[in-house]
Amino acid sequence: MFNPRRLRFTPALVAALAGVLAAPANAGDKLALSYVAIELPGAPAAIVTADVDGDGARDLAVVVAYTAWDRIDVSERLSMDDVEGLVEVLTVVPALLDRRQLWLFSGDGRGGYRPAAEPLELPTSVLSLLAGPPGLPAIALTDDGVAVLRLRRAGGVPSLALEPVLADPPVLAGGRTFVPELPLVQDADGDGVADLLLPAAGGLHLYRGTGDGVESEPVTRLELPVDPAASRPRQRYVPLPEARDV
């Protein structure tokens, strides 16, 4: 049975997440807060604020991971009972399944949010979700590389989709673990446009931002060091990228 949890966000909290917290126009004005209830089937694993639908207002992209009861097999048969006669027997095999979903809530620019489309079921090949560089509002790190979250309106019905952007498998590919808050989007070259630092299987690949996405080929590749003392068969310990001003 679907049992949603109600998560409460204030406009101030949502604005702080988006980095656009507005101050009162005058020093004597007060900032009024109100609650916005957003129903989700489980606790969020990642929350990304980005203008996904392109209307100029920040939206909320939320990944939830939870377990739910379902059935994996249903069989039906008829049997003859000496007392009740012909009896229909229905056998249901229940299962507890792990589920991951991506929800998108469209913002109205005034602190209100509404579901933009039906949630997108995420396979375990989706490893992370984060705000992307200009032109790619919200991106997902997958086993195959990088995909961008799009809101489609085919036939007037909105739907969510992950469209591939880069075919460059990351070092995390095959791990089946969702890793939030990866610091992959940074202005690495200092030109004022965010770039993408991709921890690929062969090393750290830097994709330069163009202002409308990223270049199709990495501008540089840096081999990632592997700790042989900590590594074991079928396991490797490698550092993830971190950008700092020096």
Side-chain angles (χ1 to χ4, degrees), residues 21-34:
L21 181 60
N26 301 312
D29 293 344
K30 294 183 179 180
L31 181 62
L33 301 181
S34 61

Side-chain angles (χ1 to χ4, degrees), residues 30-244:
K30 294 183 179 180
L31 181 62
L33 301 181
S34 61
Y35 287 99
V36 178
I38 296 180
E39 295 188 353
L40 296 172
I47 300 176
V48 173
T49 60
D51 182 14
V52 177
D53 55 14
D55 64 354
R58 289 270 185 165
D59 309 312
L60 285 180
V62 184
V63 174
V64 294
Y66 64 99
T67 56
W69 284 104
D70 203 343
R71 56 190 184 187
I72 58 176
D73 185 47
V74 178
S75 61
E76 184 179 356
R77 64 183 178 86
L78 298 176
S79 64
M80 183 63 68
D81 186 84
D82 295 337
V83 178
E84 299 182 2
L86 188 63
V87 178
E88 181 181 16
V89 179
L90 185 66
T91 302
V92 178
V93 180
L96 189 61
L97 303 179
D98 290 328
R99 301 188 64 181
R100 297 179 186 177
Q101 292 179 330
L102 174 55
W103 294 64
L104 180 66
F105 299 91
S106 294
D108 59 11
R110 300 182 300 275
Y113 293 87
R114 58 177 178 78
E118 289 295 317
L120 177 65
E121 297 290 337
L122 294 181
T124 55
S125 59
V126 176
L127 307 172
S128 189
L129 183 74
L130 59 151
L136 304 173
I139 59 175
L141 185 68
T142 71
D143 281 353
D144 298 323
V146 176
V148 61
L149 175 62
R150 297 296 190 194
L151 178 62
R152 298 174 176 173
R153 292 185 173 85
V157 179
S159 62
L160 300 178
L162 290 176
E163 298 179 357
V165 175
L166 296 174
D168 194 355
V171 70
L172 301 175
R176 303 172 64 90
T177 300
F178 188 85
V179 184
E181 300 180 2
L182 289 177
L184 305 184
V185 179
Q186 306 284 343
D187 181 11
D189 54 9
D191 64 352
V193 180
D195 310 304
L196 179 63
L197 298 172
L198 180 63
L204 181 61
H205 294 178
L206 172 61
Y207 289 87
R208 181 175 293 167
T210 63
D212 191 28
V214 294
E215 295 179 352
S216 59
E217 295 293 332
V219 66
T220 186
R221 294 177 172 87
L222 177 64
E223 183 178 354
L224 289 175
V226 178
D227 186 355
S231 298
R232 303 174 183 175
R234 302 179 63 86
Q235 290 184 344
R236 288 196 307 161
Y237 289 83
V238 295
L240 292 176
E242 180 179 356
R244 296 182 181 180

